[in-house]
Every structure is written in structure tokens, then in C-alpha cells.
Amino acid sequence: MVSEIRLYTEAAYIEKAQHFEAVLSSRGVQVQIETVEKLNARFFRLTPELALCVDADGLWLSANGMKMQPDWKAEVGRLKRASLKSEMIARACNLSEKPTLIDATAGLGHDSLLMAHLGAHVTLVERHPILFTLLEDTHARAQNDTFLNPVVSRIHLVFSDSADYLIQQAAENAVVDVVYLDPMFPQRDQNQQAPKKQAQVKKQMQLLHMLLPEDGEMDLGDNLLELAQKIAKRVVVKRPRLAVFLADKAPDHQWQGDACRFDAYFQHDLVAE
């Protein structure tokens, strides 16, 4: 995991940069702040290494001429078009019942944002200190948006390893309606049924690939399924349409789309205290 990183900023945003330096330091990441004249496209082209930057729009991850953040404001159009009937994820997670839901594979939080918009009360769990800090900044900025404020009020962020968090919940005899799993890189070794041709990875995913690999391996989430089943009435796993089952375990039900599917595992014997 990344233990140190440069953070670039302009003089006008040095206080913001110092705030993020303190936050990341408390989470085990050493930050070296560098002030630059202008954070523009030319600067990012000439600064290929993985870094952070701070500007008027908050905290960003950057590398290879690209910059990325979990931009929840950019999702507003999708949210306004979404409905319980139109979204397959809504049927898979039974969002019409406004469930308590743990998203144990946070990513950029876009699915959690959609599920909260459609009524779920979401606990978003992320273990990587830099990605969590990006999510935290996005969550805070979204509270100032009139449309997003009531949505993000239903999202609670937890800085934790998902396996540890699920184990803790089980030890406390907690029961939730849904645990949602979307392993970030299932195509790496769990897409054996799919054609070998790979689509170009999106810019956001390229940067996440650079940030998240550990010892050259991706966390594919196999271990989370069994842990999730101990506390959730329903575990929902998002998969590429032709991917093998998570942990090689056949689901109780599936919802199939053109590009992806949702595998559901039901635990009828779980009841909340």
C-alpha cells in the first residue's frame, strides 16, 4: 500500500493541502507538499508519477497526464434519470424497501450514491487511506449541493478493511438487509468464460490500478462473500456478464444485463434483533 506520496498545490490552496497532509498522516501516509505555479494540463503531462493535487475543486489523484476524483456531482444526471423500475441494481438489492446496506467494496462510491438516491441507507467501507480520503472529501463537498445533500445524508463512510469490518459486525450479532460486493478488478483472473478481447480501461480505472495493487495482485473479494453471508439477509455481487461466480459459489438468483449481472445470495434465517 502507498505509504508516501507527493501533493501538488497552488499557493492559494496551501491551507487545504496542509489539511489533507494532516488527515493522511493520521492514516499512515506521509505527504510531501510541493507548491507549483499552475496546476494545468501541461503540468500533469510533465508529472507522470502517481501523486495527489489540491485545487478549488478539492482533492485529486493524478498520474500520466490524468487527474481523477470520485466526482459525485457528475453523477447527478444519472441519478435524475434513475428509478426503482429502470435500475437493475434496485431490483437486485430490493431498494424499494429502503434497506440498510453495506457496500464493502467502495471503489469511487458511484453505486452507493445511486443506491442511496433510490432509498438505501448505505455504509460505505474502504480500507485504502488515500481512496478513503478522496471519498471523504467528495462526500463533504456533496453536502453543499442542494440535490445531493439529502442523498449523501444516507451514506456513512467507514475507514476499515472490509473483512475486518464484517467480522466485527458478526461478533456484535449485527444484521443488515444487504451487503453489496463489486470486486474492482474481476477481469484479471476471474473472467475465464469471457472473450479474451479487453476494452480499454477508463481513465479513472487506470489511476486506481496504479493506486491499489498490492504485491502485484488485485483483491478480488472472494473472502468477503462468506463473511457477508453471516450478517446480511441478502448478499448481492456485481459481476461482468460472463464472469465466473465469486468464490465459485452459485447464487440463489441472478439479474442479467448486457454488460454485467447481479448475483444474489439469500439468508432466510437471519433476523434483526
Side-chain angles (χ1 to χ4, degrees), residues 241-267:
R241 186 173 65 88
L242 298 175
V244 298
F245 300 131
L246 190 65
D248 293 322
K249 185 171 182 179
D252 298 311
H253 192 75
Q254 285 186 321
W255 288 263
Q256 291 272 2
D258 293 335
C260 71
R261 69 173 198 264
F262 294 94
D263 297 343
Y265 304 82
F266 304 127
Q267 276 67 244

Side-chain angles (χ1 to χ4, degrees), residues 63 77 79-80 92 96 131 144 184 193 203 213 218 229 252:
L79 299 184
K80 289 182 175 179
S96 62
L131 182 53
N144 298 320
M184 191 167 292
Q193 300 172 19
K203 285 184 178 181
M218 304 296 179
Q229 288 182 294
D252 298 311

Side-chain angles (χ1 to χ4, degrees), residues 59-120:
L59 185 68
W60 299 75
L61 188 68
S62 65
N64 295 334
M66 302 177 290
K67 55 186 287 200
M68 176 277 290
Q69 65 181 176
D71 189 359
W72 289 0
K73 289 185 179 181
E75 295 292 302
V76 168
R78 179 193 180 197
L79 299 184
K80 289 182 175 179
R81 295 189 300 271
S83 70
L84 292 170
K85 290 185 177 180
S86 67
E87 295 290 339
M88 190 165 53
I89 194 173
R91 299 190 292 278
C93 293
N94 200 24
L95 297 184
S96 62
E97 296 296 318
K98 302 188 185 305
T100 56
L101 184 149
I102 295 173
D103 184 346
T105 48
L108 298 176
H110 293 162
D111 282 348
S112 278
L113 189 68
L114 175 62
M115 291 187 287
H117 171 65
L118 294 175

Side-chain angles (χ1 to χ4, degrees), residues 4-63:
E4 56 183 273
I5 196 166
R6 292 182 188 273
L7 189 156
Y8 296 102
T9 192
E10 298 171 13
Y13 309 112
I14 189 66
E15 289 188 9
K16 278 188 177 183
Q18 290 170 342
H19 163 73
F20 288 117
E21 177 190 26
V23 168
L24 286 164
S25 176
S26 73
R27 293 170 180 162
V29 180
Q30 182 179 345
V31 176
Q32 180 179 339
I33 298 176
E34 292 195 18
T35 305
V36 300
E37 184 176 343
K38 196 70 177 173
L39 287 173
N40 53 22
R42 183 176 183 274
F43 170 81
F44 290 113
R45 284 197 305 272
L46 297 175
T47 312
E49 75 272 11
L50 189 69
L52 292 168
C53 61
V54 172
D55 61 14
D57 296 318
L59 185 68
W60 299 75
L61 188 68
S62 65

Side-chain angles (χ1 to χ4, degrees), residues 54-211:
V54 172
D55 61 14
D57 296 318
L59 185 68
W60 299 75
L61 188 68
S62 65
N64 295 334
M66 302 177 290
K67 55 186 287 200
M68 176 277 290
Q69 65 181 176
D71 189 359
W72 289 0
K73 289 185 179 181
E75 295 292 302
V76 168
R78 179 193 180 197
L79 299 184
K80 289 182 175 179
R81 295 189 300 271
S83 70
L84 292 170
K85 290 185 177 180
S86 67
E87 295 290 339
M88 190 165 53
I89 194 173
R91 299 190 292 278
C93 293
N94 200 24
L95 297 184
S96 62
E97 296 296 318
K98 302 188 185 305
T100 56
L101 184 149
I102 295 173
D103 184 346
T105 48
L108 298 176
H110 293 162
D111 282 348
S112 278
L113 189 68
L114 175 62
M115 291 187 287
H117 171 65
L118 294 175
H121 297 269
V122 180
T123 298
L124 187 60
V125 185
E126 175 54 51
R127 68 178 177 179
H128 196 289
I130 292 176
L131 182 53
F132 182 83
T133 304
L134 287 162
L135 287 166
E136 191 175 52
D137 180 49
T138 291
H139 185 274
R141 287 184 290 105
Q143 292 177 38
N144 298 320
D145 183 276
T146 303
F147 180 83
L148 288 176
N149 178 273
V151 178
V152 299
S153 70
R154 292 191 289 273
I155 298 177
H156 173 59
L157 300 178
V158 173
F159 178 44
S160 174
D161 179 89
S162 291
D164 293 342
Y165 182 76
L166 294 174
I167 290 169
Q168 177 191 355
Q169 295 301 301
E172 296 173 359
N173 296 316
V175 175
V176 298
D177 296 315
V178 182
V179 170
Y180 178 73
L181 302 175
D182 179 13
M184 191 167 292
F185 305 108
Q187 72 274 17
R188 282 300 173 121
D189 67 359
Q190 295 204 10
N191 208 14
Q192 300 160 7
Q193 300 172 19
K196 292 183 179 179
K197 184 176 67 174
Q198 301 261 340
Q200 184 178 7
V201 181
K202 293 181 180 180
K203 285 184 178 181
Q204 289 181 334
M205 296 305 292
Q206 289 180 39
L207 288 173
L208 288 179
H209 271 275
M210 297 177 68
L211 179 68

